[in-house]
């Protein structure tokens, strides 16, 4: 591999079953805007981002729901600055009727201070919104293992 000095994730591409539904969800929950989109009947897609920076791409080319038992993506995580932002996102999600893996903000591990909320998108893709501090004092939902690895 080359000696990349600043390697980071560029964007995440997700297959979805209903582009309009998923785009509305990601726009509402993460305050993303549509940067570009394809509307051809057999090639529907949307590029979502903030401040002209691409964050998530959605591709309408799947059926069913996300299969958590198969190899591939485990979950997609978004970091915010504060636990108050996590709680604000939680309220938006509750208004949308999202499904949560745990009740409220939970720490990433026993005696941890980082933590967040764990939920699914309309296609069952597992998502997390967390803050680096502020999740304490709360019991971790998974004893002896990282919370984000087992939901």
């Amino acid at each position: 591999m080359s000696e990349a000095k600043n390697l980071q994730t560029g964007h995440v591409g997700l297959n979805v079953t209903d582009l309009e539904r998923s785009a509305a969800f990601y726009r509402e929950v993460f305050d993303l805007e549509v940067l570009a989109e394809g509307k051809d009947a057999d090639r529907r897609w949307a590029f979502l981002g903030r401040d002209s920076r691409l964050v998530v791409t959605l591709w309408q080319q799947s059926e069913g729901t996300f299969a958590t038992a198969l190899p591939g993506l485990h979950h997609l995580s978004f970091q915010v600055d504060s636990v108050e932002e996590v709680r604000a996102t939680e309220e938006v999600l509750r208004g949308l009727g999202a499904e949560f893996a745990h009740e409220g903000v939970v720490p990433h591990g026993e005696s941890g201070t980082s933590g967040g909320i764990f939920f699914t998108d309309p296609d069952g893709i597992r998502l997390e919104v967390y803050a680096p501090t502020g999740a304490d004092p709360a019991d971790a939902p998974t004893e002896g293992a990282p919370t984000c690895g087992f939901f």
Side-chain angles (χ1 to χ4, degrees):
M1 179 177 187
S2 69
E3 294 185 35
K5 303 281 187 226
N6 187 22
L7 181 64
Q8 59 185 322
T9 302
H11 70 272
V12 175
L14 302 173
N15 282 340
V16 299
T17 58
D18 181 329
L19 183 67
E20 289 178 20
R21 176 184 70 178
S22 292
F25 177 86
Y26 282 88
R27 287 174 57 214
E28 180 73 18
V29 173
F30 298 107
D31 194 27
L32 300 175
E33 60 185 294
V34 176
L35 303 177
E37 60 187 324
K39 297 182 179 184
D40 292 343
D42 61 338
R43 291 191 168 188
R44 301 202 56 219
W45 53 272
F47 288 0
L48 305 177
R50 280 190 189 168
D51 302 321
S52 301
R53 185 179 63 84
L54 184 59
V55 176
V56 174
T57 61
L58 303 175
W59 309 94
Q60 183 174 297
Q61 57 185 11
S62 62
E63 297 176 358
T65 59
F66 182 71
T68 59
L70 297 176
L73 177 73
H74 182 275
H75 74 284
L76 177 58
S77 176
F78 293 90
Q79 180 180 329
V80 295
D81 291 332
S82 70
V83 74
E84 290 77 24
E85 290 176 79
V86 175
R87 289 190 177 105
T89 303
E90 179 185 12
E91 288 306 310
V92 170
L93 288 162
R94 291 203 183 282
L96 294 172
E99 291 186 30
F100 291 85
H102 309 290
E103 187 59 37
V105 175
V106 296
H108 280 125
E110 300 167 45
S111 302
T113 60
S114 68
I117 53 175
F118 300 85
F119 56 98
T120 58
D121 82 350
D123 287 303
I125 297 170
R126 294 182 290 199
L127 301 168
E128 168 189 10
V129 174
Y130 79 96
T133 60
D136 56 319
D139 293 331
T142 306
E143 190 174 320
T147 301
C148 62
F150 298 93
F151 75 100

